[in-house]
Amino acid sequence: MDRRHNQEQKKPGRPKAKRKSWSLRRTRLLVARLTNVIALSSLTRRIVFLNLAALAVLVIGILYLNQFREGLIDARVSSLLTQGKIIAGAVSASAASDTDAITINPERLLELQAGESFSPADDTFSYFEFPIDPEKAAPILRAAISPTDTRARIYDLAGNLIVDSNQLHSTGVLRFNLPEPEMETTESWSDRWDHFVSWLRQADLPLYKELANTDGRGYPEVSKALDGSDASIVRVNEKGRLIVSVAVPIQRSRIITGALLLSTRDGDIDKIVEAERWGILRVFLIAALVTGSMSILLAGTIAGPVRKLSEAAERVRRGVKQREEIPDFSERKDEIGQLSQSLRAMTNTLYKRMDAIEAFAADVAHELKNPLTSLRSAVETLPLAKKPEARERLVSIILHDVRRLDRLISDISDASRLDAELARQESDEINLRALLETIVSIQDEIGSKSNIRVTLDLDKDTADKGKAFLVSGNDSRLGQVFVNLVDNARSFTAKGGEVRVSLQQRSHWIVVTVDDDGPGIQAEDVSRVFERFYTDRPQGEDFGQNSGLGLSISKQIVEAYSGEIQASNRLGEGEAEGETVILGARFTVRFPAIVHAATKKPEPKADPAV
């Protein structure tokens, strides 16, 4: 009892375990399929590569060819010019040395033009040697540039460095840094990238070099500022970092006393550009992740079904013992669905053709076996025959069977070559009326020997107008169809009877009917008359005169040219009231009509007078 109770308590837990194991297996299956698509499908790799390559080209163009860096440089130059003018005004007003020895010639000032200034380095002011006081300029310089992290330098008229913000303590006291000792360092990937960027930029930007303190005029912007005009220049250092320099003149009372050089720190602008680029790269990574995921999903909807179709086609090619089924993607309304439908239709047609070949081989073996058996029996009996009449009868049987075999083999050969010949032959426009008129006239001459007429019926309008009934096909093959039908109808028609061939057009179809006055077709055999080797000959006809392939070949030709063929009985009223009798057999053949667009006659032009 305890065991049963425990088992009953354990039973409710099993479905949960099964559901967990099933979900786990399903997850593993999905992961395996995704891994298989990623690892093995060349189409998937191509889709992902092309999508990511296009995205990468776009990002590289943004990173390298964008105008963000140029706009940032222009903005920094404009801000440095404004800042430099403010600092230069403050320095000229507060840091100039006061001396009673300075005299200014008013006539010299009056000679200056608007916006023109002169330097105290002229002969008139040769005694004015040190107009800017470094001790007064240093605090002003420190207070002005400390929030901006910009390097500022003041040069006198001779180009000598007076104050450098790099040599100031936080209190404004001057300091002088010792050169850093040289140390051997190994290049990192960042340094190599900097060298690469420097090599790219050296083509259009000058290289920045630190000049001596007494060589300030070696900077072109400082030289222009000492001459009285603002100047700016963009350089790169040895690491490829951008340095923007702006120089403005320091002047008091329109007299130039020095130059202020403002420059950005090493890599100041590059840090902003790099931050922007890292932001672009982060967006690129997200876009690449989304693009890659969408590409894989797209490839899964394309490569996966294509791979399944390819594997199924390979199994069909190798399948011997069993017939493989092509996957059905017909619910998809795209090219994959169309490809699936085409492959399935092709495979079904192939299987049907294989079945037909097997059935044909079996039928051929059966039909050949009958005359061979008769021939063997006659040959084995011939030595035993004593009477001449018996020997003649056996010889006639042997000849009959040989002719039967010859006829049968010829028809089989024709039927086996029919498919290949129909595939090779080109279709032309055939005037079915002219073809039938020729066939009917020949068959009527042949039938006249047995007193059987063959006529062609056309409606009055068609006969009077000489209308052409155009169909697509091959004249020899279409002629073979109607010769077989007329021969078959004539063989069932008694002497004095008639075989009627009618031709008419119904909508977009050309319809040909062949009627005879024979006994008709038995109801149970109507659907079998087009089978291979089926024969139902009239009474009195010698056995073995027909192979049973004529109607089968006719149907094969008609269907090859998109036509239809049917067999039926002509019915009529009997002598008794309400009685229905069979008047004969009827074969109906239909072909799609070729309709040429009629040329539209031009409308007559209106008379201007009217």
Side-chain angles (χ1 to χ4, degrees), residues 441-459:
S441 63
I442 296 174
Q443 292 293 324
D444 187 48
E445 291 181 4
I446 297 173
S448 61
K449 298 179 182 179
S450 56
N451 196 19
I452 299 176
R453 295 185 57 196
V454 180
T455 61
L456 176 63
D457 295 336
L458 297 174
D459 57 79

Side-chain angles (χ1 to χ4, degrees), residues 65-73 269 272-274 276-277:
L65 300 176
N66 68 342
Q67 298 180 355
F68 176 74
R69 181 168 60 94
E70 287 75 7
L72 188 61
I73 292 173
I269 295 179
I272 301 176
V273 175
E274 287 179 1
E276 192 69 20
R277 286 178 175 172

Side-chain angles (χ1 to χ4, degrees), residues 417-437:
R417 294 196 310 267
L418 185 60
D419 285 337
E421 292 180 359
L422 290 175
R424 288 194 301 265
Q425 291 174 350
E426 296 183 358
S427 297
D428 299 322
E429 288 187 2
I430 305 301
N431 185 358
L432 210 56
R433 176 178 178 175
L435 180 64
L436 289 176
E437 288 176 348

Side-chain angles (χ1 to χ4, degrees), residues 85-120:
K85 291 179 181 180
I86 295 173
I87 296 175
V91 170
S92 64
S94 305
S97 300
D98 294 331
T99 174
D100 296 335
I102 298 177
T103 58
I104 299 175
N105 186 2
E107 295 180 359
R108 180 76 176 89
L109 292 175
L110 292 175
E111 292 176 357
L112 297 176
Q113 299 296 328
E116 187 179 358
S117 60
F118 64 90
S119 173

